[in-house]
Amino acid sequence: MSPARVPGVRWWFLPGFAAGLSLLLTACGGASADSDDGIRVTLVTPIVSNPTPTVIPGTTPTPIVPPELVISTFEVHQAGAVLVSVTGDITGGTASFLGRNYKLAKGSQSMFAFVAVDTEDPVGPQPLRVDVTLKNSSKVTLQDTVHVVRTDWTVDSLEFTDEQTQALLDPKVVADELAMLKTIYGGVTPEKLWTGAWQVPVMGALTARYGEQRSINGSVPSGHHGGTDFGAAEGTPVVATNSGRVVLARQLKVRGTMVIIDHGGGLFSGYAHLSKTLVTEGQLVASGDPIAEVGNTGLSTGAHLHWEMASQGILLDALRFTDGTNGF
Ligand SMILES: [Zn+2]
């Protein structure tokens, strides 16, 4: 998908420049740099207009490429993500959405963050705010509105053996694994390790969507399936959905043998219930590289791949990274 560029992109500075700032403000040239993955600029809505700057006589204003806010979509589903990029001469920034803050990471042509929407986040129009610092140390705030669209979750009934149920119901086993994953998924590597499009990591039939609520051995449906499941024969190759660094390749109790890839900027992909891994922790992988083989390890009722995506600790619908509904 390639959203059309909306003309008339403008930029404004908030009050509070350092005294004597010799910044030349020109009419907006609409910097034409692409966002980090090649998506075009969409729209910037200013919140405060700029007072006329003062140029101190005898000084030469330093030209600054104005910041532009680039967002991948104005409509995002629950469990979707918005790629937020800011181009221009900026040194850092923070995106804020739905009460969460995302430090911008350095990309090849911009600074970016994958802003997440959780399964139960409120639907409707929500403000997106990005505070950035320019190379001359001045601060700029950009904002826009993104509409969160409701997702209707499906329900699945699962049957586990006594042994599996025992493992599942041992709260310490589940809690320890979740805590470890939360620590990994909550990290932010401030550089871009992903590139280009995302790909489905295995050839197989979709057997359980992200977000599905579960009834286990007849229990009341609860929770949300944190990944996307594909049924495939044991030994089927699993490839990296995108480039990044392997941060986990080991055996866990619930998710079985698992690989996690850090894609930078707080975004991770996880691959669970594997029969074997082909990578080691710390290794850099390219998009499409074989990283493991499908298996039936951990709490699993048959050979399949459980594929997770997480942005700064929030599990997201991985298929929205490949079906275009996130706008990238
Ligand atoms: Zn699963």
Side-chain angles (χ1 to χ4, degrees), residues 162-237:
D162 286 351
E163 196 179 65
Q164 288 174 319
T165 307
Q166 216 171 5
L168 175 69
L169 295 182
D170 182 341
K172 190 170 180 342
V173 168
V174 177
D176 285 355
E177 187 168 313
L178 275 179
M180 192 267 290
L181 289 174
K182 199 174 169 187
T183 301
I184 293 175
Y185 285 154
V188 181
T189 300
E191 59 181 310
K192 183 186 177 193
L193 300 174
W194 61 280
T195 181
W198 303 80
Q199 58 180 298
V200 176
V202 73
M203 295 283 282
L206 179 65
T207 54
R209 285 205 65 130
Y210 171 93
E212 199 164 74
Q213 298 201 293
R214 288 186 156 175
S215 165
I216 295 172
N217 295 350
S219 69
V220 175
S222 64
H224 289 284
H225 181 217
T228 303
D229 290 351
F230 294 94
E234 190 153 334
T236 304

Side-chain angles (χ1 to χ4, degrees), residues 21-33:
L21 177 69
S22 58
L23 177 69
L24 176 65
L25 296 178
T26 62
C28 177
S32 60

Side-chain angles (χ1 to χ4, degrees), residues 208 214 225-229 273 304-307:
R214 288 186 156 175
H225 181 217
T228 303
D229 290 351
H273 307 301
H304 78 288
L305 174 70
H306 170 97
W307 173 31

Side-chain angles (χ1 to χ4, degrees), residues 21 42 74 101 121 126 148 158:
L21 177 69
T42 49
F74 290 104
N101 297 322
D121 277 342
Q126 306 290 343
V148 175
L158 299 176

